[in-house]
Amino acid sequence: MKPRLFTPGPTPVPEETLLELARPVTYHRSAEAKAILAEVTEDLKYVFRTANPVFTLTSSGTGGMEAAVSSCLAAGEKVILLTAGRWGERWRGVLKAHGANIVAVEVPYGKAVTPEMAEAAVKANPDAKAVFATLSETSTGVGHDVAAFGKIVAPTEALLIVDGISGLGAMECRVDEWNIDVCVTGSQKALMLPPGLAFVSVSDKAWKKMDATPVRNFYFDLRRYRKSQLESDTPFTPANTLIRAQRASLKRIRTEGIENLWARHERIAKAARAAVRAMGLQNFAERPNSALTVISVPAGVDGSGTLKKLEKQYGYKLADGQDAMKGKIWRLSHMGYTDAFEVLGAISALELVLAEGGFNLQIGSGVAAFQQAYAAGK
Amino acid sequence: MKPRLFTPGPTPVPEETLLELARPVTYHRSAEAKAILAEVTEDLKYVFRTANPVFTLTSSGTGGMEAAVSSCLAAGEKVILLTAGRWGERWRGVLKAHGANIVAVEVPYGKAVTPEMAEAAVKANPDAKAVFATLSETSTGVGHDVAAFGKIVAPTEALLIVDGISGLGAMECRVDEWNIDVCVTGSQKALMLPPGLAFVSVSDKAWKKMDATPVRNFYFDLRRYRKSQLESDTPFTPANTLIRAQRASLKRIRTEGIENLWARHERIAKAARAAVRAMGLQNFAERPNSALTVISVPAGVDGSGTLKKLEKQYGYKLADGQDAMKGKIWRLSHMGYTDAFEVLGAISALELVLAEGGFNLQIGSGVAAFQQAYAAGK
């Protein structure tokens, strides 16, 4: 049986990138290492759609989130948190650890925070120093209208700080045009690398706030990264073999083209959602994003058990819901190095397992709907 | 020309470990991933010589240092810093970022902090909450008598917190026997992996202090790692392909045996120092450790230029001095996956480059002395 990774991070890594990881280790302070970092930084700016600097941190995405929080905020400062799931709650956890005064705009799992809600919160809290949002809420499959958030926040003094960890590269995101002051992503999603790196962009508006904020942190103090980047360097020993491999995956992304990458994800996502409906299942997210498809487990079906069977019988590794959502949703990633034919295979496997479990389903309905929607999506 | 890495981190990685890094990525929350982490944790405890838990962080070694500082100390608490170089100063930087009240015991580059100095500081500051030390001061090649520090600190209320980043595995270090409360190391030194992981052990005494210390951090809060480790898990998405590869390098270490590993490093280090003397050069460190050999650049020789020639002509990449030491010392690592025959090659290349540059040297004196000392060291 062939193992197939469909979790919303980590995601499959291209073969040429994996081989890059097997190359001998080199010194991280050499001219060659600096040239690689400079090239990766330029390619990241392309992916982020920004002219701002983008920094490479050796950490998970959460580390990048903490870099944003601890570099931009003094203790006790007021912030607006737009939260629609577990990753919005991750912002809350980081903010609480750093003593922020949090005004939360919260919607239930599966729903999206609307621009109207964000606008009301921004108007009611003119003293807020930052608005925290999530591009792709990976715990529910919801995507947020970050472009609209940007229009609301830009005229104010507040910074717009966005978790783009599972969204960036998998759905439209234009950091500069959308007025995102700090955007965070991770290597293990649409950027086609194993986990280990976080990337953070910083706007001029954010620098001004950071420069007026006391130091609260060492490893995640973005000012240290700014200083090192003047010499194409990093302040701390980076995971340099991951950076070298990231170069290979970024080349693949540049060859495909960022808008084509977004379009590919969107086309696959639409086809996957059509398949879900055709199988008699429901898409969980009210405002779905293109990074992953989240399916509500139908009544009478063992959600976690079905995923175990999918993996054991057919090699397809999807993700369960997290925390309170466990057993209630299935999460199917189509981020990064995953194409339509592979997602079709996952739909096929899901059909088979559901039918074998006695779920009332027209065999072939899912794959046919996928195929039709995919063909129509061109 | 064959490139050869002799920098004191990163260090060469065994071929079987590199190949492990090229294997397909898997899900980090699977039962298999948990089993791998549990195995790595057990092998790390073996390397650390501890029964305490050892945590795996995705960060550089500095991240591990910050985890120690921010988890153990409240702002304004008094600490004793034993510093003998750039990495002692790294402790100072992290401590300052977290508002510690630092009593520094400082010696010039090349010297070691003695147990007597440490004892005097501990006696004079009974209210100190922790003593910070460096096992191997990689910037100078000095090794500290951490066993003696442990005897001094253990009877007090203070914690002994040790940067073992370049030392652990390359020289004797017994965390439990020596009463080290928190020991930090990194993957890219004697543990034979690329950079990207930090490992931190925590004693019962340290837990007590942590549990009485307010939360100051999120990603580096060791209490989060303790909670996750109950389920053989990590609180944040780890660099799981590095962890899987670390397993391979740790198996190699267990096969060699930790005491044999220490003995190998010591034997090579003694031979390297004998070679240095035989070439008419001087060893820089007053109390040298076995992780690396640090050579004083002789008068009239262009230190940085010599290293460039070594690399360009013969492929040997040694490290220059850092900051104010640049051009004044050469740093030759023999950590981890580097054996005596390879270090002999580096001595040979250094002899050739020095002679070609007009340095008065008996060609063959270095390699012969290395060989003799190595043979005698058995």
Side-chain angles (χ1 to χ4, degrees), chain B residues 27 39 107 147 163 188 286 295 297 313 319 321 339 345:
Chain B
Y27 189 50
E39 204 178 332
V107 295
D163 163 4
Q188 78 280 16
E286 173 188 60
I295 308 167
V297 174
Q313 287 176 223
D339 72 11

Side-chain angles (χ1 to χ4, degrees), chain B residues 50-372:
Chain B
T50 186
N52 294 329
V54 179
F55 302 101
T56 295
L57 283 59
T58 298
S59 72
S60 80
T62 297
M65 293 167 78
E66 183 157 20
V69 168
S70 62
S71 303
C72 290
L73 293 177
E77 285 185 330
K78 189 190 264 191
V79 301
I80 295 169
L81 168 66
L82 312 179
T83 172
R86 188 175 196 265
W87 298 103
E89 293 309 307
R90 175 56 52 88
W91 274 132
R92 196 198 298 265
V94 177
L95 287 164
K96 278 172 75 174
H98 287 278
N101 171 12
I102 304 167
V103 176
V105 178
E106 207 172 332
V107 295
Y109 275 55
K111 307 285 179 195
V113 177
T114 65
E116 293 71 30
M117 293 174 191
E119 189 162 27
V122 168
K123 279 197 179 158
N125 298 281
D127 53 338
K129 301 296 181 194
V131 176
F132 288 84
T134 312
L135 177 63
S136 154
E137 178 49 77
T138 331
S139 67
T140 66
V142 159
H144 280 113
D145 188 350
V146 172
F149 297 164
K151 280 188 191 144
I152 295 159
V153 179
T156 74
E157 273 184 46
L159 304 175
L160 177 59
I161 302 182
V162 174
D163 163 4
I165 294 170
S166 75
L168 210 85
M171 56 195 285
E172 187 178 5
C173 183
R174 300 176 186 273
V175 165
D176 287 0
E177 203 179 314
W178 293 3
N179 298 298
I180 302 173
D181 294 299
V182 183
C183 187
V184 180
T185 195
S187 57
Q188 78 280 16
K189 311 280 184 175
L191 298 190
M192 310 182 192
L193 201 76
L197 298 178
F199 307 110
V200 186
S201 71
V202 182
S203 73
D204 285 342
K205 186 176 172 183
W207 282 132
K208 279 191 196 110
K209 177 67 176 80
M210 283 187 204
D211 285 331
T213 297
V215 170
R216 316 186 63 191
N217 226 316
F218 193 78
Y219 189 79
F220 290 130
D221 185 345
L222 290 171
R223 289 162 286 203
R224 292 183 182 275
Y225 290 82
R226 174 176 57 181
K227 195 177 162 203
S228 294
Q229 204 177 72
L230 295 176
E231 298 176 353
S232 281
D233 211 340
T234 50
F236 313 111
T237 305
N240 64 335
T241 63
L242 284 173
I243 294 174
R244 191 175 58 189
Q246 184 66 82
R247 179 172 62 167
S249 285
L250 284 166
K251 288 303 166 225
R252 174 177 277 273
I253 289 171
R254 285 206 85 146
T255 302
E256 183 169 3
I258 188 72
E259 298 194 331
N260 294 329
L261 189 69
W262 297 336
R264 164 161 70 84
H265 282 86
E266 201 182 329
R267 191 174 168 194
I268 291 175
K270 278 185 182 162
R273 293 197 296 270
V276 167
R277 287 188 297 268
M279 287 189 278
L281 301 169
Q282 284 192 320
N283 291 294
F284 181 69
E286 173 188 60
R287 189 176 191 280
N289 73 55
S290 304
L292 73 165
T293 297
V294 180
I295 308 167
S296 300
V297 174
V301 171
D302 172 3
S304 302
T306 301
L307 291 188
K308 285 197 185 85
K309 276 190 209 155
L310 255 179
E311 187 179 5
K312 199 172 168 190
Q313 287 176 223
Y314 302 114
Y316 283 87
K317 178 74 185 168
L318 277 68
D320 205 336
Q322 293 160 297
D323 308 328
M325 296 308 294
K326 196 171 161 68
K328 295 183 181 164
I329 52 174
W330 297 316
R331 298 183 302 146
L332 168 72
S333 162
H334 21 76
M335 282 183 246
Y337 189 54
T338 300
D339 72 11
F341 307 102
E342 292 169 312
V343 177
L344 179 72
I347 299 291
S348 160
L350 181 59
E351 270 195 13
L352 292 173
V353 163
L354 282 173
E356 286 159 13
F359 183 72
N360 185 15
L361 169 97
Q362 173 77 33
I363 285 283
S365 58
V367 296
F370 184 95
Q371 178 82 349
Q372 286 153 14

Side-chain angles (χ1 to χ4, degrees), chain A residues 10 28 60 66 195 217-219 238, chain B residues 10 28 60 66 195 217-219 238:
Chain A
H28 61 298
S60 81
E66 183 157 19
N217 225 316
F218 192 79
Y219 188 79
Chain B
H28 60 298
S60 80
E66 183 157 20
N217 226 316
F218 193 78
Y219 189 79

Side-chain angles (χ1 to χ4, degrees), chain A residues 60-71:
Chain A
S60 81
T62 297
M65 293 167 79
E66 183 157 19
V69 168
S70 63
S71 302

